Amino acid sequence: MIWDKERRSKAERMEKAAGYAKGKRVGTGEIIPFLESILRPGDRVVLEGCNQKQAAFLAEALTKVNPEKVHDLNMIIPSISRDEHLDLFDRGIASEINFSFAGVQSRRLAEMVAENTVKIGAIHTYLELYGRLYVDLTPNVCLIAADKADSNGNLYTGYNTEETPMLAEAAAFKSGIVVAQVNEIVGEGDLPRVDIPGGWVDYIVKADEPYPMEPLFTRDPARIQEAHILMGMMTIKGIYAKHGVESLNHGIGYNGAAIELLLPTFGDYLGLKGKICTNWVLNPHPTLIPAVEAGWVKQVCAFGGELGMERYTAARSDIFFTGKDGMLRSNRAAAQVAGLYGIDLFLGGTLQMDYEGNSSTVTGGRLSGFGGAPNMGNSTGGRRHTTKAWRDMAPLTGSMASGRKLVVQMTKSQSKYGPAFVPELDAVRIGRKAGMDAAPVMVYGEDVTHVVTEQGIAYLYQAQNAEERTKMLGCIAQGTPVGSMVGNGEIERMRREEKVAYPQDLAISPDAAKRELLAAKSLEEIADLSGGLYRVPEQFRKKSE
Amino acid sequence: MIWDKERRSKAERMEKAAGYAKGKRVGTGEIIPFLESILRPGDRVVLEGCNQKQAAFLAEALTKVNPEKVHDLNMIIPSISRDEHLDLFDRGIASEINFSFAGVQSRRLAEMVAENTVKIGAIHTYLELYGRLYVDLTPNVCLIAADKADSNGNLYTGYNTEETPMLAEAAAFKSGIVVAQVNEIVGEGDLPRVDIPGGWVDYIVKADEPYPMEPLFTRDPARIQEAHILMGMMTIKGIYAKHGVESLNHGIGYNGAAIELLLPTFGDYLGLKGKICTNWVLNPHPTLIPAVEAGWVKQVCAFGGELGMERYTAARSDIFFTGKDGMLRSNRAAAQVAGLYGIDLFLGGTLQMDYEGNSSTVTGGRLSGFGGAPNMGNSTGGRRHTTKAWRDMAPLTGSMASGRKLVVQMTKSQSKYGPAFVPELDAVRIGRKAGMDAAPVMVYGEDVTHVVTEQGIAYLYQAQNAEERTKMLGCIAQGTPVGSMVGNGEIERMRREEKVAYPQDLAISPDAAKRELLAAKSLEEIADLSGGLYRVPEQFRKKSE
């Protein structure tokens, strides 16, 4: 019996590829025949598309291999962010995809699924996808990106370490082939630091251009509206202060950005400094800079890097995880673990919520995936340490669980597309159309503890049953259909019972929710507050400059 | 404003320690004054006590530092396994402990808590403790163990990588000091492989003797009883086959060992090979060897190593994760993530269960902690991929969740200590006595989907409410108090509705549950089946040899 088929297969592939590599180094111009040598039909292939760092050069090369030689690949792409990722399916090179987030490619993906050009293995939250790499989606080939390599294959990822170690390890230790594209190859010992040991990496190739990077987590304060500010004030007072929330994560969006910018002003006015929002699991949001500078923040564990934040994070090593070289060290897998088990609150925006509190950003024909939200936005039954905030959420069901994570969903009660609260999520129909076993729900209703609209806060963790849950949502969506499901008397009762709070119940005047309250009103102001350490990304600079 | 206090503190400490180190290398005999130089009162200190690999030399040295210089340490010890771990508190060096598992030290720990000699920060599941290292328990000093180091501090951990990378990273990138004890220091380039990059490690010290290792996950088939075999047969047919469980974890114990040894016999007879139990997240259990050899197992992702399994795992690289050097690579953090998100079933034994299905191994004055069980034994609301087994567990509550993980708890209905099912867990009283906010429950009742006793299986996921849940438990604990809570008519109804199954309902004859059914009846037989690759550990060898 042969027990090392995988090793033999790897050796054969590497032998076939020998003509295109000197040691570990593959010639930039030889990447296509090289990939044809190391790939076999039906392979499981990780193609690094993280939020910040994409193996763009390898992705493009992969679209150019001969589909008669390489086909039916099962692609594992955490974040589908580039045209090439889906071109692979149009060209008959790949047939199945497993992913977490689709972003700008979400509409095309939905269309391709409808046309049977691509089969979705599953949509996962990041940590789930990483977990499966070690169980039943272990890759044969892993295509990753790094900033620099030395001749031994040691990798330096700069501040975008992200999930690269978790991806590479699954392949490296199961006879998979790990190929890293890098911006630069340096001499032995010349890396600023080693983020991934060279022993895990079989090949390095200098990309024809540095991997692209987008400022995905930059929110321009100039675009924060008064509704965001009002919701932020209510959240700070009616949720963070009420429960004493010290450790937390904010999802991407203007809702979180507004809160971050209100801490040093409104939060300070309430005397909350040092009492809430001290320990973060967060991408390096530029909008957190004013709170950091004002001494609000003890520590930030980052999933990835953020364009323009290099020098700032390096200069704030008491706050951010950094290497000996000074540069931020991010780690999406560790941060997702921290976000699941180590924090008391997740706050995120949603586009649509049903009357049970289920929410999804899968709307209007987009198969967007949810990235980290399903992991951050659920309360693990495995947690055993307690905090005040956690205990405040103790279940009413007779469970012995000592508490729950606070999961806060924010949305305006309606937008130009209609009411935010709907009887059935678009995701249900879209999931059915895509032939999915389960509707692509982002956060399940039973996990949501608080919903905030511009009208007020619904403290869903206090609902006695599903019916009351719906009515609590109705209280904060008056003027929309779900609002008509609750009468005035019931609204008054729920306000008295503190199951719902309107701004006046929190002694907050909507008139006070002005942009003047923001600690910075533009990215330029944030750059100033950072002492010039934060550099506003090109895309966000004023056109007149 | 100073933003790099931590870096400055690290530099000061390292300067103070300079006299005891040449480069990264600390003299074995100078470890005590060295530790006194790098430690400050109140520090958070990780002391590696994993399951398999303990920094025993560093632990002993730490007990000898001068408590006038070093005191009030907050110790982070994943597995409290050595006398020294608690001696630290008796000697006034440490005051608080954060941990996951206490094993043999569980009774002494409970006594010390009662005497106020030690303050428990919290009991965590492993992944939870790792998460907090990145949020609010970030270590100042991290004391770890490895097999070998080179002069640059690169570490080789052999097959016991376990959680060392996760522990070291949290310190290394937040200006903490990482000290590794190693069995051997080799020349540059002479490590079999690099498990942890040298840049993460500040100091290495050759231990006075190799770190000790116990065969914690070895269960001698000779001690498997017929009750285990009967329960195992029922589990294979009534749970694994019924739901089509392909990916799973077994906790430590004879229950899981019996199942592993029944797969190539009873499982084969049922025609289940290739249909169930193919993908495992599991320590390298020797009792899995017969199933591996018979071709049942596709892949195993290991938390840690196991004494005697070195050569076997190295020779089965298609099954186990191994390095280029051939040796197993384990990773407890990755395996816990895989166990949370990537598998369909967790099976574990319990000592005590209440009438709601809550279970705990905290009994009789032991503060044992639960290791990975709370993480493995809960169904994350963040999972989005589906399988048949998962979908079979779809909640009856109206949740949109597509399914649940199967969480199977096994126990004999009674033991010499009395009934397994009790109105209130001992853990409740013990937790209260220790002043804990929450009772130390291992797995919450709402997360348990199946309970198996020698009498039968209770399919708890089918319970309509808490009362029915209790009655289902009563059906499989006849002759004990909870058994009297259900009448014969109800038992018949629940058997008809397949909410409960007795052996005869599964066409299993208890008379067939004989030791002859085991694929191996002793560790020696397992060693034979492994072709001599598995080496029976000293402790398990027959005295006559």
Side-chain angles (χ1 to χ4, degrees), chain A residues 35 39 141 183 271 304 324 339 352 462:
Chain A
L35 288 175
L39 286 164
V141 172
N183 302 341
K324 285 175 189 166
Q352 207 173 56
Q462 301 225 53

Side-chain angles (χ1 to χ4, degrees), chain A residues 483-501:
Chain A
S484 64
M485 296 172 76
V486 57
N488 284 337
E490 283 172 309
I491 294 179
E492 291 316 308
R493 174 182 63 79
M494 290 207 264
R495 289 174 64 189
R496 270 198 316 275
E497 292 176 357
E498 296 186 22
K499 290 184 170 177
V500 164

Side-chain angles (χ1 to χ4, degrees), chain A residues 57-122:
Chain A
F57 168 72
L58 292 172
E60 195 193 341
L62 191 56
T63 64
K64 294 182 180 163
V65 300
N66 183 345
E68 290 185 14
K69 293 181 186 167
V70 179
H71 50 85
D72 288 307
L73 299 183
N74 181 345
M75 300 303 303
I76 300 158
I77 307 180
S79 179
I80 304 174
S81 44
R82 304 186 59 76
D83 289 341
E84 294 88 345
H85 293 163
L86 295 181
D87 292 347
L88 291 170
F89 297 87
D90 275 336
R91 298 191 187 172
I93 295 162
S95 56
E96 178 173 329
I97 195 155
N98 284 282
F99 74 106
S100 289
F101 186 67
V104 291
Q105 300 293 337
S106 56
R107 188 181 294 276
R108 183 174 166 208
L109 177 62
E111 289 164 3
M112 289 173 72
V113 168
E115 293 159 4
N116 275 319
T117 312
V118 56
K119 177 179 176 291
I120 291 186

Side-chain angles (χ1 to χ4, degrees), chain B residues 293-451:
Chain B
E293 294 301 306
W296 274 71
V297 176
K298 282 190 193 155
Q299 188 162 300
V300 177
C301 167
F303 304 88
E306 179 66 8
L307 207 60
M309 289 290 281
E310 304 87 321
R311 288 192 304 149
Y312 183 74
T313 51
R316 298 288 178 271
S317 62
D318 284 349
I319 309 295
F320 296 94
F321 285 76
T322 58
K324 286 175 188 165
D325 59 322
M327 183 61 84
L328 180 78
R329 161 88 176 191
S330 63
N331 183 327
R332 180 158 290 109
Q336 288 288 344
V337 167
L340 178 64
Y341 267 117
I343 60 173
D344 284 340
L345 179 142
F346 163 76
L347 176 139
T350 184
L351 295 177
Q352 207 175 57
M353 181 174 274
D354 73 13
Y355 293 179
E356 308 285 318
N358 299 290
S359 63
S360 189
T361 48
V362 168
T363 57
R366 293 180 194 275
L367 270 178
S368 58
F370 311 115
N375 178 63
M376 310 299 285
N378 88 92
S379 184
T380 173
R383 173 167 160 176
R384 294 292 177 272
H385 75 285
T386 62
T387 58
K388 173 189 157 26
W390 173 264
R391 287 203 313 275
D392 276 4
M393 301 296 109
L396 308 176
T397 55
S399 162
M400 285 190 78
S402 56
R404 286 165 70 190
K405 188 196 285 178
L406 285 81
V407 175
V408 183
Q409 294 276 274
M410 287 181 114
T411 176
K412 280 189 257 186
S413 61
Q414 46 192 322
S415 71
K416 59 185 172 181
Y417 303 110
F421 299 90
V422 295
E424 186 182 80
L425 294 175
D426 286 0
V428 173
R429 186 178 39 78
I430 293 168
R432 214 160 28 220
K433 211 171 142 193
M436 296 172 72
D437 273 337
V441 173
M442 179 175 66
V443 175
Y444 294 121
E446 61 266 33
D447 286 327
V448 181
T449 59
H450 300 74
V451 177

